[in-house]
Amino acid sequence: MINILFVCLGNICRSPSGEGVFKALVEEEGLEENFFIDSAGTSAYHVGEAADSRMRKHAAKRNIRLTSRSRQFRKDDFKEFDIIIAMDKSNYRDITAMDRHGEYYEKVKMMTDFSSGYQKIDVPDPYYGGDSGFEEVLNILDDSCRGLLMELKRNNGL
Ligand code: 4NP
């Protein structure tokens, strides 16, 4: 089982979408049994809430259902997950700051590390913007999650 955790600030826009997009790709390929996929936020601002309704609406247009409830990232996640994927540099800093000795350094990645068209950029926070921001998030996640799945299939003989 490969355990993957997507992380953003609020766990109501970008990381629930990363979770949803990646789950849909895994299902398309019938690989569900090989993955445990979850998401979390570095903040506790929205704990217990469903994904943002605007994010859900845009995801639904692509047949992606966002069903997660917001939870905060916790230290135990470093042990429980094999790959921890930050949406932006600030998320990356907040996550790695909780790993004082750098024990889990290798597990923490940036989402666009896996992208072919959007390398080295942050997945932009869509919260205070308009429709185009939510679409851009989904475009970046689709590209990045395809790259992630390809790499994991190759490295794990799937
Ligand atoms: P997310 O978006 O990190 O992609 O879930 C945000 C959601 C809420 C806030 C910021 C970003 N907020 O400040 O409440």
Side-chain angles (χ1 to χ4, degrees):
M1 186 67 102
I2 305 166
N3 300 298
I4 303 175
L5 184 65
F6 293 91
V7 182
C8 62
L9 176 63
N11 193 210
I12 54 169
C13 295
R14 292 164 294 173
S15 60
S17 300
E19 177 186 343
V21 167
F22 192 72
K23 277 182 176 166
L25 291 172
V26 163
E27 280 168 24
E28 262 177 44
E29 303 212 17
L31 292 170
E32 297 95 314
E33 283 146 46
N34 300 281
F35 293 97
F36 177 72
I37 304 156
D38 193 13
S39 65
T42 56
S43 78
Y45 304 153
H46 297 277
V47 167
E49 292 177 25
D52 186 284
S53 59
R54 299 164 296 172
M55 194 75 252
R56 278 189 281 133
K57 180 187 81 180
H58 285 276
K61 289 200 290 183
R62 303 180 187 212
N63 277 323
I64 293 162
R65 313 279 152 210
L66 305 183
T67 56
S68 66
R69 290 268 162 190
S70 177
R71 73 160 176 96
Q72 191 168 21
F73 180 80
R74 48 182 178 260
K75 265 187 170 173
D76 281 351
D77 290 323
F78 285 120
K79 289 200 194 100
E80 287 168 19
F81 289 88
D82 303 301
I83 309 174
I84 296 164
I85 299 177
M87 292 294 158
D88 66 29
K89 290 185 214 59
S90 156
N91 308 145
Y92 183 90
R93 279 194 295 274
D94 290 339
I95 295 164
T96 51
M98 290 171 70
D99 174 29
R100 292 191 168 247
H101 306 292
E103 219 181 324
Y104 302 104
Y105 173 79
E106 296 281 345
K107 291 190 177 188
V108 189
K109 308 286 186 197
M110 292 288 291
M111 183 77 264
T112 59
D113 286 352
F114 303 98
S115 156
S116 53
Y118 302 91
Q119 275 164 4
K120 297 196 190 299
I121 65 159
D122 288 339
V123 181
D125 182 350
Y127 194 67
Y128 295 105
D131 284 342
S132 65
F134 291 91
E135 286 299 315
E136 189 184 16
V137 164
L138 290 164
N139 290 339
I140 299 172
L141 291 176
D142 181 70
D143 183 57
S144 302
C145 286
R146 284 178 194 279
L148 173 63
L149 182 56
M150 213 184 332
E151 178 165 330
L152 291 173
K153 280 169 65 181
R154 191 183 329 119
N155 294 346
N156 295 279
L158 298 174

